[in-house]
Amino acid sequence: MTASTSPIADNLHQVRVLIDAAATACSRNPKDIHLLAVSKTKPVSDILLAYENGHRDFGENYVQEGVEKIQQLKQYSDILWHFIGPLQSNKSKFVAEYFDWMHSVDRFKIAKRLNDQRSVYQKPLNICIQVNIDDELSKSGVAPSEVLPLLKEVSSLDRIKCRGLMTIPEASNDIDHQRQSFAQMQALFNQCKAIYPEFDTLSMGMSNDLALAIEHGSTMVRVGTGIFGARDK
Ligand SMILES: *Cc1c(COP(=O)(O)O)cnc(C)c1O
């Protein structure tokens, strides 16, 4: 299979078309919306197909799986690896050592460990604070009211660079509810940006809700199924 005929190449193109249309529909510049390809559970051969089509940002949810793939693809040194799953503190050193971004920081303890474990020979680790916008028991993330206090603590750490906020809203068919959650995130992001002008990342939107997320200011959509197809459970 050549890159140009693989479904992954087509899918990537289709997703990019959707992103561009969603951005244009709300008068945003499509270039301001980054696409993170979520490759969890998918083989490195799939990542390489996306790579051959010019894609460079990949997201992984599980530490061991992610590190194995990063090691296997070490020669592709321009790939940027994003950790987007929940992280146990005893595994933070792997994220600090191997990843470029960490989207799911939800407590100071994790931020501090990542900071202390990040080598001075590496660039600072880019992080986002994960916000549990729908207050779901099953999800990690801080409550909206805890974001600014956590940011204040995190801003003292010099081996990590806080780029913005991340969220995974409640899965729902109720578009008004989804809209409300995204709007709350947008307001919170703007509030943070007023204090931290270097904030440039609102990591929000997945395969099924990316247009709505873009309408509410998302700067990075995380797309798995839409690019790589359904995952085996
Ligand atoms: C799996 C996952 C995604 C991608 O979800 P799709 O619906 O397959 O696009 C995005 N973000 C996070 C945090 C994920 O765990």
Side-chain angles (χ1 to χ4, degrees):
M1 209 191 307
T2 65
S4 56
T5 60
S6 86
I8 289 173
D10 277 357
N11 293 346
L12 258 179
H13 176 73
Q14 291 303 327
V15 170
R16 201 63 242 187
V17 167
L18 284 177
I19 291 172
D20 291 2
T24 307
C26 57
S27 307
R28 295 185 59 198
N29 185 345
K31 291 203 177 71
D32 293 339
I33 295 130
H34 299 274
L35 172 58
L36 176 59
V38 177
S39 44
K40 64 182 178 205
T41 80
K42 299 294 178 179
V44 292
S45 53
D46 282 3
I47 296 176
L48 279 176
L49 280 169
Y51 183 90
E52 285 162 17
N53 279 278
H55 199 76
R56 294 294 178 268
D57 287 85
F58 295 92
E60 290 286 337
N61 281 59
Y62 311 102
V63 173
Q64 193 183 335
E65 178 190 338
V67 168
E68 279 169 19
K69 289 175 181 172
I70 294 169
Q71 286 173 332
Q72 287 173 48
L73 296 172
K74 209 154 86 188
Q75 73 207 82
Y76 301 91
S77 57
D78 56 349
I79 292 182
L80 290 174
W81 293 100
H82 299 241
F83 190 80
I84 61 174
L87 182 62
Q88 291 170 285
S89 56
N90 64 357
K91 298 206 176 133
S92 63
K93 64 171 185 287
F94 298 105
V95 172
E97 181 174 350
Y98 286 97
F99 284 83
D100 302 289
W101 282 74
M102 157 66 175
H103 290 231
S104 45
V105 170
D106 61 356
R107 54 204 189 276
F108 182 68
K109 182 183 174 192
I110 284 284
K112 172 87 173 100
R113 286 179 67 94
L114 290 168
N115 182 74
D116 295 349
Q117 292 163 338
R118 186 74 168 176
S119 153
V120 294
Y121 300 107
Q122 292 174 290
K123 286 187 189 154
L125 180 70
N126 296 296
I127 67 154
C128 293
I129 303 294
Q130 182 174 352
V131 183
N132 189 353
I133 196 66
D134 291 310
D135 194 22
E136 294 172 272
L137 280 175
S138 63
K139 293 225 172 98
S140 358
V142 299
S145 63
E146 295 166 21
V147 170
L148 284 173
L150 178 55
L151 277 176
K152 192 163 185 213
E153 283 186 290
V154 166
S155 65
S156 67
L157 304 171
D158 64 349
R159 302 304 307 146
I160 61 181
K161 184 171 172 185
C162 196
R163 301 287 295 267
L165 306 179
M166 181 274 230
T167 196
I168 312 169
E170 188 173 13
S172 162
N173 294 322
D174 176 352
I175 184 122
D176 290 331
H177 176 69
Q178 280 186 312
R179 199 180 284 281
Q180 198 180 19
S181 303
F182 283 138
Q184 266 179 283
M185 280 303 298
Q186 183 172 31
L188 187 58
F189 181 67
N190 287 337
Q191 199 187 342
C192 295
K193 214 172 141 71
I195 304 171
Y196 303 97
E198 68 279 14
F199 262 38
D200 60 4
T201 304
L202 180 53
S203 168
M204 167 168 109
M206 316 201 293
S207 297
N208 290 329
D209 56 11
L210 62 86
L212 202 58
I214 290 168
E215 192 186 309
H216 291 91
S218 168
T219 66
M220 197 182 289
V221 291
R222 308 178 308 266
V223 179
T225 313
I227 295 172
F228 297 110
R231 288 178 292 273
D232 299 330
K233 271 287 160 190

